[in-house]
Amino acid sequence: MLLDDELAYRAVAARDARFDGCFILAVRTTRIYCRPSCPAVTPKRRNAEFHRTAAAAQAAGYRACRRCLPDAVPGSPEWNLRADLAARAVRLISDGVVEREGVPGLAKRLGYSERHLTRVLTAELGAGPLALARAHRAHSARLLIETTDLSFSDVAFAAGFAGVRQFNDTIRSVFATTPSAMRAARATTGPAGRITLRLPYRPPFDAAGLLAHFRAAAIPGVEHVTDTRYARSLRLPHGEATVRLEPADGHVRCALRLTDLRDLGSAVNRVRRLMDLDADPVAVDGFLSADPVLGPRVLSRPGVRLPGSVDGAETLLRALGHTAPGEPLAHPDGEVTHLYPRPAEVDSPVARALADGSLRVDVGRDADELRAELAAFPGVGPRVAATVVMRVLGAPDIPLTEDDDAWRPWRSYAAVHLGRTA
């Protein structure tokens, strides 16, 4: 998506919530940045400028609006539409790779030098990898401040800051307030031991279809699905976790129990991808509803989402039929009692390749390259390869049927509609 300032200003003037998360409005007179649908008075056109990301607005010296909370919106669907270097980098940064491995680790995963990566991200997004990671840390810190009773030193550590001073400086710079003031105005916390969040989405949202998909493939002990809730265990970079997800009006209620709070940002990012919460259903449904074959299906079930993935290796192994639970959780959470096995615990050529790193299935991969690599791997094949790429990367245009060019660029969603009907 090329950011057209005039079209962006029209969206702001109309307070069009469909564009929340797609770009950022920055107001020169107040030095504040907002989501497009912010209820504040629309600034004059000469005082408005637009940025691709919150990180770019922060780098330009703007602070976040405390009225509309511009970071508490669905992410841009562009990062699933695009498969270029910038999009793959954004997906990995959102998963916390910079906090865990630094910019050198991010560049290595993507196969480029640090200098080239920084140059591309700055040109595309107005901010380099460090600035994007800083914005990610600020968002994680705000969640912890407002939803837990952790000390601020623990919040700083969990969000990935180098120290409390850096944490305090960032909060003041980004949110124009102090951690103490943010906590004083926070929302009610969830049950003890849990972090309860509201994960927004763009309506409509076919929650029933997602829950039906998860129920049909649930592994007892690893997952538990009811008519209104999905719960499962998570294996995260720093430890295990459990999550309960309950779709509601305008958001999904997400209750996380983490063994290591540094995994908060990664957990939220993976859950959003699992439920395809950053999708643009109006664009998808508007296109597919005009098709004579799919039209009636789309109109009867608006807001269909792509069932996603919380772990690429797990998604691939499950697609190949490995559905036994793994080790028990140290702290079972109701019906969720086990983790999914690590690749090293599964006996198959694919699992061995995943375990030794010769096969890598994660959100930083290019869709076409990963699909070709998987399709050529013994025992995988084209059909499984396409399904895994669609789910792990959230790729919206993976062909799963023959003669489906008429459904470009939303062939993945078309396949979901056909599958639900069948």
Side-chain angles (χ1 to χ4, degrees):
M1 180 186 73
L2 295 176
L3 189 56
D4 184 299
D5 285 3
E6 294 307 317
L7 292 178
Y9 186 74
R10 291 181 201 171
V12 168
R15 295 186 173 87
D16 195 332
R18 293 177 300 170
F19 292 92
D20 286 353
C22 296
F23 66 86
I24 292 292
L25 162 70
V27 184
R28 295 188 179 101
T29 50
T30 62
R31 306 306 295 174
I32 288 174
Y33 70 86
C34 305
R35 63 169 78 183
S37 67
C38 182
V41 175
T42 302
K44 293 183 172 61
R45 174 66 188 87
R46 65 176 179 273
N47 294 328
E49 65 181 59
F50 304 97
H51 297 273
R52 302 293 296 277
T53 62
Q58 293 167 19
Y62 293 92
R63 62 185 188 275
C65 175
R66 295 168 62 184
R67 184 174 182 182
C68 72
L69 297 176
D71 61 335
V73 296
S76 173
E78 182 177 3
W79 308 129
N80 289 339
L81 292 173
R82 291 171 51 169
D84 58 9
L85 175 60
R88 289 184 284 133
V90 166
R91 293 198 291 262
L92 288 173
I93 291 169
S94 297
D95 197 51
V97 168
V98 171
E99 282 74 20
R100 297 192 298 271
E101 304 173 20
V103 176
L106 175 66
K108 183 178 179 181
R109 281 176 175 252
L110 294 167
Y112 290 88
S113 69
E114 295 177 54
R115 178 178 295 182
H116 180 71
L117 175 62
T118 300
R119 183 167 57 246
V120 169
L121 290 178
T122 302
E124 289 277 333
L125 307 178
L130 286 175
L132 291 165
R134 176 178 179 264
H136 178 258
R137 287 194 296 272
H139 177 54
S140 296
R142 184 182 67 80
L143 291 177
L144 289 170
I145 291 168
E146 294 179 349
T147 62
T148 75
D149 292 317
L150 288 173
S151 68
F152 293 140
S153 60
D154 286 341
V155 170
F157 171 74
F161 289 97
V164 175
R165 182 173 181 176
Q166 184 192 59
F167 158 72
N168 285 325
D169 290 345
T170 299
I171 295 299
R172 290 192 185 96
S173 173
V174 173
F175 300 110
T177 187
T178 64
S180 298
M182 292 178 74
R183 178 157 285 177
R186 69 182 179 177
T188 303
T189 59
R194 295 189 190 277
I195 298 174
T196 303
L197 312 170
R198 292 161 59 102
L199 307 182
Y201 58 76
R202 297 178 180 86
F205 180 59
D206 179 29
L210 268 181
L211 291 173
H213 173 89
F214 294 142
R215 185 185 301 113
I219 299 175
V222 176
E223 299 163 289
H224 181 69
V225 191
T226 69
D227 289 341
T228 59
R229 177 190 293 176
Y230 173 66
R232 67 156 294 152
S233 59
L234 299 170
R235 195 186 293 277
L236 298 170
H238 297 103
E240 63 185 44
T242 60
V243 62
R244 298 178 183 178
L245 301 167
E246 295 184 54
D249 185 18
H251 69 276
V252 172
R253 184 176 182 273
C254 171
L256 283 160
R257 197 173 74 176
L258 304 166
T259 56
D260 192 316
L261 287 169
R262 289 177 295 175
D263 285 326
L264 174 66
S266 180
V268 170
N269 177 62
R270 295 182 189 202
V271 167
R272 293 196 65 84
R273 299 189 67 80
L274 175 70
M275 304 194 81
D276 197 16
L277 297 183
D278 294 332
D280 183 355
V282 173
V284 176
D285 292 356
F287 181 85
L288 295 180
S289 63
D291 183 83
V293 175
L294 287 180
R297 296 173 170 87
V298 175
L299 293 174
S300 66
R301 191 183 288 275
V304 158
R305 295 304 208 268
L306 299 179
S309 166
V310 294
D311 183 271
E314 175 189 323
T315 301
L316 174 56
L317 292 174
R318 290 178 66 158
L320 295 173
H322 300 286
T323 56
E327 65 189 276
L329 287 166
H331 302 284
D333 190 359
E335 296 84 356
V336 179
T337 57
H338 288 71
L339 291 161
Y340 187 79
R342 293 183 175 89
E345 299 166 0
V346 177
D347 184 19
S348 76
V350 172
R352 287 191 287 273
L354 290 167
D356 65 23
S358 58
L359 177 61
R360 185 169 57 86
V361 183
D362 63 32
V363 295
R365 295 296 307 271
D366 174 81
D368 291 337
E369 291 179 1
L370 178 58
R371 186 178 174 198
E373 184 177 346
L374 290 175
F377 202 98
V380 177
R383 180 76 180 184
V384 170
T387 301
V388 169
V389 170
M390 180 183 76
R391 296 193 59 191
V392 172
L393 301 184
D397 194 38
I398 300 296
L400 296 178
T401 62
E402 297 180 358
D403 302 323
D404 57 3
D405 284 352
W407 299 328
R408 287 178 178 269
W410 308 113
R411 288 180 290 180
S412 297
Y413 290 92
V416 172
H417 277 290
L418 294 174
R420 297 270 169 85
T421 303

